[in-house]
Amino acid sequence: MRHSTHHGHVVALDVGGTTMKGGLVSATGQVLIAERRPTPRADGPLRVIEAIRAFTGELAAAGPGTPAGVGIAVPGLVTADTAVYSANIGWKDVPAADLTALPLPVRLGHDVRTGGLAESVLGAGRAERDFLFLPIGTGIAGAVVIAGEPYGGSSSRGGEIGHVPVFPAGERCACGQTGCLETYASAASVARRYTERLSRATSLHQPAATWDAYPAAQSPMAPETMTAEQVVDLAMRGDPDAAAVWDDALEALSIALASYTLLLDPAAIVIGGGLAEAGEALFEPLAERLTARLAFRTAPPLRRAALGVHAGMLGAALLGWQAAGVPDAGSTWTVDVLRSPSVP
Amino acid sequence: MRHSTHHGHVVALDVGGTTMKGGLVSATGQVLIAERRPTPRADGPLRVIEAIRAFTGELAAAGPGTPAGVGIAVPGLVTADTAVYSANIGWKDVPAADLTALPLPVRLGHDVRTGGLAESVLGAGRAERDFLFLPIGTGIAGAVVIAGEPYGGSSSRGGEIGHVPVFPAGERCACGQTGCLETYASAASVARRYTERLSRATSLHQPAATWDAYPAAQSPMAPETMTAEQVVDLAMRGDPDAAAVWDDALEALSIALASYTLLLDPAAIVIGGGLAEAGEALFEPLAERLTARLAFRTAPPLRRAALGVHAGMLGAALLGWQAAGVPDAGSTWTVDVLRSPSVP
């Protein structure tokens, strides 16, 4: 492996719907500065653009000298130089030059694919050329990594594994389609479906004479405030409603991952996002079900993502180095960002 | 586009489970010779290997001078220089040098991906970089074409769209999995499911008093001898059993293609194989259903494959030219093989 001889640092920014994660990352992968700010999404797209511009400027000013480039990961439809569309943020056709006032080369990337790039170059996909990066959070989207590069398809609209139809006659998804993976298996859906299931159970019990016997204290807290993590925890402890909801989520994931495996033959499936924190409760039964769904081929190994919430910002740093003319940046980094003291 | 200056021709062979299609193809895409022979599959893999060796030798001897290379498309698991495994033919780890006695550079390819290569370079995918080639015949497999190249995945096992689970709680497939696309939508399955449906209807009617009234002459021929084409034809003419079977096939295809579209964002879906002959009865309702399944993005256009049964042999010719050191062969060909008098 050739060591890059470039010095200096780049500005890296990961723009999420709630939080922006920014940093300065050196040519050897050192995270010089890392900072979070809220995304002012409720104030409209112009305010978000201003906030991005301010954040990149202030990060650059805080560093030791002039940065070599800027990388920014954004949601929605995006090319290397334009944030084409995001329903979430509400913008349309924003040129990269509007997202930073710095007179530096800039490169944009799709949020999930930029995270996939980081896992590919620096993280759990480092040893593989072909894998799926699947962050399971509030929603579900994937980065299809082919020959080390996240692949967006013919019009950058690929990777929507959260909306493949896993139960074709199933529940209506918020997206308007029927039976999408996301409507069963995202963290938000696991929490929502458990709550819905309990209220259905309650309304069934209400007219019955046994209402007083309904064990209202069965759950440790009111179901409206449950998180997916708490539902998984309840399922592990034998709560039948939580177990049924978690079972549906695992079944939906196994179907989508079986389809992915048969179509694209990945060397590994790297799972990140909040639900990956479920650990054994997710990985063990999911690996079992995926194996059971496949008759004539083995299942790829399921791995936990290595970079956690930092994947997007580190991927944006790689984009920044690409913009600066150092396309092989990252290949020699030994990032241990999860334990790095410079990242809060 | 740069015109290749290479002269001469290559030996091209497409080895199917039933038929081998061989030819000599010039550097400008002229099909000098085209010939079919049965694949002696029933006589075992050694006999098949001998038949391939004899066929390539006789094709080479029939041509005007020494060929520049050999391209061979085979089923199963295959790399550029080894036929690794085929359950269908029964071979294991056959080196390319065993498949021809000619002292020429040889390149092997997977049968469906080689057909996809031909459709990509010469056929219905010529204008696209990213598309799915989906031949629907006795079975179903796909070629995932990415940046103009068929993509086999991390271990050459990709493209198995025939075995993605479309109805996860559905019928058992011959492969051992449940609810595979192929078990509803291949030509063999459409024929089989219609026959099974009629025999179920018959056995249901048998004990009833109305048995004599059962319209045994409803179908133009005995159901055991029906082909998929005839089932589709019956469905178009309003036969309710044929319509139900064809409806399941279309539904299964729309689910698999929705998943493919959401994951890989193809610029087009190129459908070939025997069932593509169904024409409007396939393309119109399938396009409608695919559009209906997608809420937040448009459906890619469905196109009929351009090269018909010649795709594999023409793709093998491209492999032969690659082996001969002419990787850009085909880019300037104007093959009109379907109407070419030199192809029987």
Side-chain angles (χ1 to χ4, degrees), chain B residues 96-300:
Chain B
D98 282 12
L99 296 176
T100 181
L102 297 167
L104 297 171
V106 189
R107 186 162 186 145
L108 307 185
H110 177 266
D111 51 359
V112 178
R113 287 197 287 279
T114 302
L117 175 67
E119 290 289 348
S120 172
V121 176
L122 313 168
R126 198 162 186 156
E128 323 296 352
R129 289 170 53 77
D130 305 86
F131 69 95
L132 169 66
F133 172 52
L134 183 69
I136 309 177
T138 309
I140 299 180
V144 178
V145 179
I146 290 178
E149 298 277 347
Y151 172 71
S154 68
S155 63
S156 303
R157 286 174 171 83
E160 293 287 4
I161 191 170
H163 297 282
V164 304
V166 291
F167 296 124
E171 296 176 11
R172 175 67 62 151
C173 180
C175 79
Q177 296 179 177
T178 300
C180 298
L181 170 63
E182 180 171 294
T183 209
Y184 295 94
S186 71
S189 292
V190 166
R192 174 185 50 76
R193 294 185 80 240
Y194 177 73
T195 305
E196 286 172 2
R197 191 179 169 94
L198 284 205
S199 21
R200 270 203 309 280
T202 306
S203 62
L204 283 174
H205 277 273
Q206 230 150 11
T210 54
W211 166 243
D212 289 340
Y214 184 73
Q218 186 180 38
S219 306
M221 43 202 319
E224 313 83 63
T225 63
M226 296 288 284
T227 65
E229 288 68 27
Q230 289 165 328
V231 175
V232 174
D233 193 51
L234 276 178
M236 291 302 100
R237 290 187 295 156
D239 176 289
D241 292 300
V245 167
W246 187 232
D247 186 78
D248 286 349
L250 291 168
E251 200 62 12
L253 282 166
S254 77
I255 292 164
L257 293 182
S259 293
Y260 190 95
T261 298
L262 290 156
L263 276 175
L264 288 162
D265 182 28
I269 293 168
V270 173
I271 303 180
L275 262 197
E277 308 295 319
E280 283 182 15
L282 172 69
F283 285 87
E284 288 191 8
L286 183 54
E288 252 171 53
R289 286 172 198 231
L290 179 55
T291 296
R293 285 221 163 263
L294 300 170
F296 58 89
R297 62 156 296 151
T298 54

Side-chain angles (χ1 to χ4, degrees), chain A residues 172-178 180, chain B residues 292-293 295-296:
Chain A
R172 176 67 63 153
C173 180
C175 79
Q177 295 179 177
T178 300
C180 298
Chain B
R293 285 221 163 263
F296 58 89

Side-chain angles (χ1 to χ4, degrees), chain A residues 22-290:
Chain A
L24 295 182
V25 180
S26 82
T28 57
Q30 211 193 332
V31 180
L32 307 176
I33 291 177
E35 195 187 321
R36 286 170 181 242
R37 294 185 184 179
T39 307
R41 186 160 64 93
D43 303 333
L46 284 179
R47 191 60 204 89
V48 174
I49 292 168
E50 275 169 34
I52 293 171
R53 190 151 45 190
F55 200 177
T56 56
E58 287 159 41
L59 284 166
T66 306
V70 181
I72 308 177
V74 299
L77 195 59
V78 56
T79 66
D81 55 19
T82 307
V84 179
Y85 176 72
S86 165
N88 191 7
I89 294 186
W91 62 30
K92 201 169 178 319
D93 294 323
V94 183
D98 283 11
L99 296 177
T100 183
L102 297 167
L104 298 172
V106 189
R107 186 161 187 146
L108 307 185
H110 177 267
D111 50 0
V112 178
R113 287 197 288 279
T114 302
L117 175 66
E119 290 289 348
S120 173
V121 176
L122 313 170
R126 199 163 186 159
E128 322 296 352
R129 288 170 54 78
D130 304 87
F131 69 95
L132 169 66
F133 172 52
L134 182 70
I136 309 177
T138 310
I140 299 180
V144 178
V145 178
I146 289 177
E149 299 277 346
Y151 172 71
S154 68
S155 64
S156 302
R157 286 174 171 84
E160 293 287 3
I161 192 170
H163 297 280
V164 303
V166 290
F167 296 124
E171 294 177 13
R172 176 67 63 153
C173 180
C175 79
Q177 295 179 177
T178 300
C180 298
L181 170 63
E182 181 172 294
T183 210
Y184 294 93
S186 72
S189 292
V190 167
R192 173 185 51 75
R193 294 185 80 240
Y194 177 71
T195 306
E196 286 171 4
R197 191 179 168 95
L198 282 206
S199 21
R200 270 202 309 281
T202 306
S203 62
L204 282 173
H205 276 273
Q206 230 149 11
T210 54
W211 166 244
D212 289 339
Y214 184 73
Q218 185 179 38
S219 306
M221 44 201 319
E224 313 84 65
T225 62
M226 295 290 283
T227 65
E229 287 69 24
Q230 289 165 330
V231 176
V232 175
D233 193 51
L234 276 178
M236 291 302 102
R237 291 189 294 158
D239 177 289
D241 293 301
V245 166
W246 187 231
D247 186 79
D248 286 350
L250 292 168
E251 201 62 12
L253 283 166
S254 77
I255 293 165
L257 294 183
S259 293
Y260 190 95
T261 298
L262 290 156
L263 277 175
L264 289 162
D265 183 27
I269 293 169
V270 172
I271 303 180
L275 261 198
E277 308 295 321
E280 282 183 16
L282 171 69
F283 285 87
E284 288 190 8
L286 183 54
E288 251 170 53
R289 286 171 197 232
L290 179 55

